[in-house]
Amino acid sequence: MTAAAPLVRLEHKVAVITGAAQGQGAAEAELFVELGATVVLTDVNESAGREVAQRLGPSATFLTHDVTDSAAWQRVVRETVQQHGRVDVLVNNAGIYRKQPLASWSDADLRRLLEVNLLGPVLGMREVVDAMPDSGGAIVNVASISGMRGHGGALAYASSKWGLRGASRSAAQELAPRHVRVNCVCPGSVDTPMVDLSVLNLSHLPIPRAGTTGEVAAMVAFLASDASSYCTGADFVVDGGATA
C-alpha cells in the first residue's frame, strides 16, 4: 500500500512571511520550507532574520522590512517578484504586544502598536494583491483571541487585533473575485518570546497548557495551502479551548 499524500502541501508556492526572525514567524517559515514552499522572510531584526533564512537553506531568503512603511512593502513585493515571479501567499505575522493601563499610554506608543499590528497588514494586503497570479492566492493574518473578547490592561493590543479581524473579513469579500482568500488565525497563549508564561495560569483551560509555535504554524500552513480552498473571511482559533 502506498502512503497517502499529505493533506497540506505548499510545493511551487512562493510565500512572504513577516516578523519571521524569531518565535512564531520563524516557526511558520520553517514549516513552509518543510512543506515545499519558497519563502521570503522579512523582519526589522536583520541579523536574526538572516540567521533563520540561512538555517532553512536555499528555499529561504531574507529581506529587511518595516511593515509600517508602504515603500518598504513595495520593495519587498518587487524583489520577491523579481526573484520568484509572483507571490502566492502572504502571512502577516509581524506584531508587537504591550500590556499597561490605558491612562499610561503615550500617543506615540499607541500609534506605534496600531501601526505595526493593524496598518502593517493592511498595507501588505494592498501591495501584494497585484503580485498574485490570476489563479489566486492566500493571505493569512495572525490576530489573537484578544481580538475576540476584552483584554483588560491591553486595550491597544486588543483593539489592533479586533481591527485586523475586521480588515480580514472585508478584504475577503473584496478580493474574492480575484480568487484571493483571506483568513485570520487567532492564537491564545503561545510559548514565544513575546509572552511571559510565568505570569499566566493556564490550568483552567480544557487543554491546560500553552500552545506551541508549531501548532499555530500548522494552522497557518493549512490556510496557505489548497487544502483550505473553500475557506475565506473566517477566524481559525488555536487557543486550547480558552474561548470555548
Side-chain angles (χ1 to χ4, degrees):
M1 179 182 296
T2 58
L7 176 65
V8 175
R9 306 175 68 95
L10 295 174
E11 289 97 338
H12 312 301
K13 292 191 182 295
V14 178
V16 174
I17 302 177
T18 69
Q22 64 177 349
Q24 187 59 58
E28 292 158 6
E30 181 174 3
L31 180 58
F32 273 48
V33 168
E34 289 178 4
L35 294 173
T38 298
V39 181
V40 177
L41 299 80
T42 83
D43 206 291
V44 292
N45 188 336
E46 181 175 0
S47 60
R50 292 194 183 283
E51 183 177 332
V52 173
Q54 184 175 13
R55 173 170 58 81
L56 296 183
S59 295
T61 56
F62 174 79
L63 295 174
T64 306
H65 180 204
D66 177 355
V67 297
T68 69
D69 182 350
S70 59
W73 269 111
Q74 292 163 9
R75 176 181 54 79
V76 165
V77 172
R78 182 176 63 251
E79 293 188 17
T80 300
V81 171
Q82 288 173 348
Q83 294 180 33
H84 307 296
R86 65 192 186 281
V87 180
D88 298 298
V89 178
L90 169 64
V91 180
N92 279 311
N93 173 83
I96 56 178
Y97 175 80
R98 178 177 292 184
K99 185 174 182 179
Q100 65 187 60
L102 173 61
S104 67
W105 280 88
S106 69
D107 291 1
D109 285 342
L110 281 168
R111 289 193 179 95
R112 179 62 181 168
L113 190 145
L114 291 168
E115 287 175 355
V116 173
N117 291 3
L118 179 55
L119 176 64
V122 172
L123 292 175
M125 290 192 288
R126 184 186 72 185
E127 298 300 333
V128 80
V129 169
D130 286 340
M132 289 183 160
D134 293 339
S135 57
I139 297 172
V140 185
N141 293 323
V142 180
S144 168
I145 62 170
S146 292
M148 307 183 79
R149 61 185 187 183
H151 188 164
L155 182 150
Y157 179 78
S159 298
S160 71
K161 297 303 186 179
W162 275 94
L164 184 55
R165 288 178 60 227
S168 300
R169 291 182 178 225
S170 299
Q173 294 180 352
E174 182 174 340
L175 300 180
R178 303 183 68 164
H179 309 292
V180 175
R181 298 181 298 105
V182 186
N183 291 288
C184 262
V185 173
C186 298
S189 297
V190 179
D191 188 4
T192 70
M194 195 166 69
V195 178
D196 183 2
L197 294 177
S198 66
V199 302
L200 300 178
N201 178 10
L202 305 177
S203 62
H204 66 287
L205 296 180
I207 302 176
R209 60 171 176 82
T212 69
T213 56
E215 288 169 323
V216 179
M219 181 63 77
V220 174
F222 166 70
L223 294 172
S225 77
D226 295 338
S228 61
S229 58
Y230 199 52
C231 300
T232 196
D235 301 314
F236 291 80
V237 179
V238 187
D239 71 349
T243 55

